[in-house]
Amino acid sequence: MMTDDELLRYARHVMLPDIDVAGQEALLAAQVMIIGLGGLGSPVSMYLAASGVGHLTLVDFDEVDLPNLQRQIVHRSENLGEPKVVSAAKNLSAINPEITIDTINAHLSEADLVRELATVDVVVDCTDNFDIRFAINRACLATKTKLVSAAAIRLEGQIMVVDPTDPDSPCYACLYGDSPTAALNCADTGIAAPVVGVLGTLQALETIKLIVGVGETLVGYLLNFDAKYQDWRKLKLPRNPDCPDCRVRPD
């Protein structure tokens, strides 16, 4: 049961019929892992912390440097040189000191991920590397953990949701197969700061919807965003029966 302070802090959620007290209590009881505390992970972590997700696990192995500050808004100038998970944890605690924040300042192998996901409700993939993304996808399939994945580059981005508990839900590998083109890098191609803000905010929203059980999520869809022309395209994404990852999905 929420305290009086919690009822006041989350009053605008409680007022929503789609969330109400029961939904906010579900958020407070939830554990979410955010992998990558950069451009996407910043708004994800800030909105989930502010929204009262009770237990956040932050995973990253990088340190804050000056070019990050253009878009990675969870970090501050005074955090330069700090591990991103340390910087993010401090600033998220300032946003909401009532939640629990764990940090993993390391690159997690696929086996590590499977172990760490034992108590996690949702994984939010905010990384920028195909190998890591595929490992996260396989770990979520193995543990039946819901996954919210997004990517952004230049003036465009995309987001999808994977639900391994749904036998018809496509996974990340259904979209890209096992031989994707090399991932573009923001350091080489650039990124407009608000674009990762838009995609990261959508990731936070989809995560909240999964936890609360409200509305329709992006399971089975790929949502593409073209900021240059303010164009949104929602594409139906079927499950690939020959997918290298989810064809061995556990029952």
Side-chain angles (χ1 to χ4, degrees), residues 8-248:
L8 186 59
R9 179 183 284 268
Y10 307 116
R12 299 305 186 269
H13 272 177
V14 172
M15 291 171 63
L16 291 172
D18 287 322
I19 298 181
D20 207 340
V21 172
Q24 187 60 50
E25 288 180 338
L27 290 172
L28 289 166
Q31 181 166 346
V32 173
M33 177 180 283
I34 303 168
I35 307 179
L37 274 300
L40 294 169
S42 290
V44 169
S45 61
M46 294 170 75
Y47 270 116
L48 293 185
S51 296
V53 172
H55 192 158
L56 295 178
T57 300
L58 312 179
V59 182
D60 205 313
F61 57 90
D62 202 0
E63 295 180 349
V64 181
D65 62 17
L66 192 58
N68 297 153
L69 300 183
Q70 168 252 8
R71 65 202 177 282
Q72 299 181 17
I73 57 174
V74 77
H75 309 296
R76 307 286 182 264
S77 294
E78 58 266 29
N79 302 126
L80 288 171
E82 292 182 351
K84 286 185 178 180
V85 292
V86 173
S87 166
K90 288 192 292 189
N91 293 320
L92 295 175
S93 293
I95 292 173
N96 190 347
E98 303 301 321
I99 64 172
T100 299
I101 301 175
D102 293 332
T103 61
I104 301 176
N105 183 26
H107 170 72
L108 295 182
S109 68
E110 192 171 327
D112 293 332
L113 285 166
V114 170
R115 183 182 64 253
E116 293 291 342
L117 294 186
T119 58
V120 172
D121 299 297
V122 182
V123 173
V124 191
D125 178 4
C126 304
T127 63
D128 60 0
N129 176 284
F130 268 124
D131 289 339
I132 296 173
R133 288 178 176 274
F134 279 115
I136 293 170
N137 181 67
R138 288 190 296 268
C140 286
L141 291 173
T143 58
K144 295 190 175 181
T145 307
K146 295 178 176 65
L147 169 64
V148 181
S149 181
I153 197 76
R154 295 182 296 235
L155 286 162
E156 56 198 58
Q158 62 183 37
I159 177 173
M160 66 181 297
V161 176
V162 178
D163 182 1
T165 67
D166 179 351
D168 297 320
S169 167
C171 76
Y172 187 79
C174 288
L175 175 62
Y176 284 108
D178 58 358
S179 300
T181 305
L184 297 175
N185 190 298
C186 292
D188 298 325
T189 63
I191 177 70
V195 173
V196 284
V198 170
L199 272 297
T201 300
L202 285 176
Q203 284 183 283
L205 182 57
E206 288 296 291
T207 301
I208 289 171
K209 288 165 60 182
L210 286 169
I211 293 168
V212 175
V214 59
E216 295 183 1
T217 67
L218 289 171
V219 172
Y221 292 93
L222 180 70
L223 183 63
N224 289 309
F225 173 49
D226 183 340
K228 187 173 183 178
Y229 299 101
Q230 205 58 259
D231 182 49
W232 293 88
R233 296 189 181 184
K234 185 179 180 181
L235 308 175
K236 182 67 176 176
L237 181 63
R239 182 179 177 187
N240 178 5
D242 298 319
C243 172
D245 286 359
C246 69
R247 67 185 175 194
V248 293

